[in-house]
């Protein structure tokens, strides 16, 4: 599950279901990352409003690895400690692009509707 | 208990409940989760806080169980297929060794049916039952022997084929041997599968 920590907002869990995979794919489009790095990246990019939960992230990574979207390998990080780095397979890269297009289309459509309802 | 030990205990609990059907997969996950907790500890203030942030072991394990569901089902299917194949090969071998010429076909069908019923019964009912006592086990085998011998005698009698009590007992004995070999194969496969799913055996 992804949690949004914006003050005063009570987000619907159902609304956020399915975003974990999209977040993982969008991070890994840029470069290979390990699990904890993805968590920090989610917080950093959203100014801590977006918090990817550890207990959700690792099962999702496993599921995506098994689905052939990700590949993983242990190697030394910049800090010198070995960590399990995930990267996209060609299938994962195609899925990431498809998800990006879907989310863009949805967000544009939703914004149009919501702004229209206020206008 | 030291912080590192508490982290290991938490990860072990997740692994024990996650039922990941591969030693390599479990070992890999153990290493990854421990590395994560060590990474997260400074940001959260302590390993205990990092563990608390991770979520309850049961909830996390339930998500891993879902992630590995297809692999676990495949492993179960392979186990059942292996048990059926090995049991039928052994059953046919026994029947081939002891059957009279011309009688092999019928006995092979009956032996295969016994194997099939035993494997199905074990999968649908037996795995959920408690282990019976030695006396109960002996009683069951004796009852199975008597039932199979009676079946052999009755079938031949009904068909008008002369078949003495001793021959019926011998045929019953052969069929009980088939059933026993199947039971041994099922138990061996169960032990192997339990070892495969049991993280503490790694």
């Amino acid at each position: 599950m992804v949690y949004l920590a914006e003050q005063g907002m009570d987000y619907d869990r159902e609304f956020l279901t399915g975003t974990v995979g999209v977040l993982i794919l969008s991070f890994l489009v840029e470069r290979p990352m390990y699990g904890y790095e993805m968590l920090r990246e989610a917080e950093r990019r959203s100014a801590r409003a977006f918090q990817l939960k550890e207990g959700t992230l690792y099962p999702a990574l496993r599921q995506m690895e098994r689905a052939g979207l990700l590949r993983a390998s242990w190697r030394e990080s910049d800090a010198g400690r070995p960590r399990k780095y995930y990267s996209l397979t060609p299938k994962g890269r195609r899925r990431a692009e498809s998800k990006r297009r879907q989310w863009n289309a949805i967000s544009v459509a939703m914004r149009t509707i919501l702004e229209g309802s206020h206008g | 208990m030291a912080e590192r030990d508490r982290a290991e205990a938490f990860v072990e609990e997740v692994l024990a409940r996650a039922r990941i059907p591969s030693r390599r997969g479990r070992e890999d996950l153990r290493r990854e989760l421990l590395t994560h907790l060590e990474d997260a500890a400074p940001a959260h203030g302590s390993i205990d806080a990092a563990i608390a942030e991770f979520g309850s072991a049961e909830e996390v394990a339930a998500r891993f169980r879902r992630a590995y569901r297809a692999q676990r089902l495949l492993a179960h299917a392979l186990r059942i297929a292996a048990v059926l194949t090995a049991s039928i090969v052994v059953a046919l071998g026994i029947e081939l060794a002891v059957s009279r010429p011309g009688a092999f076909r019928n006995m092979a069908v009956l032996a295969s049916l016994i194997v099939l019923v035993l494997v199905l019964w074990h999968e649908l009912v037996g795995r959920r039952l408690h282990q019976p006592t030695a006396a109960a086990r002996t009683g069951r085998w004796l009852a199975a022997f008597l039932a199979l011998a009676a079946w052999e005698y009755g079938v031949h009698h009904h068909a008008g084929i002369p078949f003495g009590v001793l021959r019926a007992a011998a045929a019953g004995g052969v069929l009980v041997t088939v059933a026993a070999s199947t039971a041994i194969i099922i138990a061996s496969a169960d032990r192997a599968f339990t070892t495969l799913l049991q993280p503490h055996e790694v």
Side-chain angles (χ1 to χ4, degrees), chain B residues 121-198:
Chain B
W121 183 85
H122 178 70
E123 291 304 321
L124 300 175
V125 184
R127 288 166 70 85
R128 291 166 187 81
L129 297 179
H130 293 294
Q131 278 283 18
T133 61
R137 263 203 307 271
T138 310
R140 273 187 201 176
W141 283 113
L142 195 61
F145 164 71
L146 291 173
L148 288 167
W151 164 267
E152 282 293 312
Y153 185 82
V155 165
H156 285 88
H157 185 73
H158 184 72
I161 301 166
F163 205 71
V165 173
L166 277 180
R167 273 186 68 192
V174 170
L175 292 173
V176 162
T177 307
V178 166
S181 70
T182 303
I184 291 168
I185 291 168
I186 289 173
S188 307
D190 273 0
R191 270 198 301 276
F193 198 67
T194 306
T195 306
L196 185 75
L197 285 180
Q198 178 54 261

Side-chain angles (χ1 to χ4, degrees), chain A residues 36-54:
Chain A
Y36 184 64
E37 196 178 5
M38 290 181 218
L39 296 170
R40 281 189 319 188
E41 202 61 16
E43 283 186 33
R44 190 184 65 77
R45 290 192 197 185
S46 64
R48 297 187 66 82
F50 231 34
Q51 290 176 359
L52 201 52
K53 297 296 289 180
E54 291 98 321

Side-chain angles (χ1 to χ4, degrees), chain A residues 62 74 81 83-84 86, chain B residues 28 32 36 38-39 68:
Chain A
R62 282 295 188 287
W74 284 89
R81 288 179 58 187
R83 290 192 174 88
K84 190 175 180 182
Y86 292 89
Chain B
D28 189 65
E32 186 176 25
H36 169 89
E38 284 167 5
D39 278 341
Y68 281 94

Side-chain angles (χ1 to χ4, degrees), chain A residues 26 36 43 50 52 55 68 71-72 75 81 84 90 92 98 106 108 113 115:
Chain A
S26 59
Y36 184 64
E43 283 186 33
F50 231 34
L52 201 52
R71 67 168 73 89
R75 58 186 164 89
R81 288 179 58 187
K84 190 175 180 182
S98 153
I106 290 168
V108 167
I113 291 167
E115 283 170 4

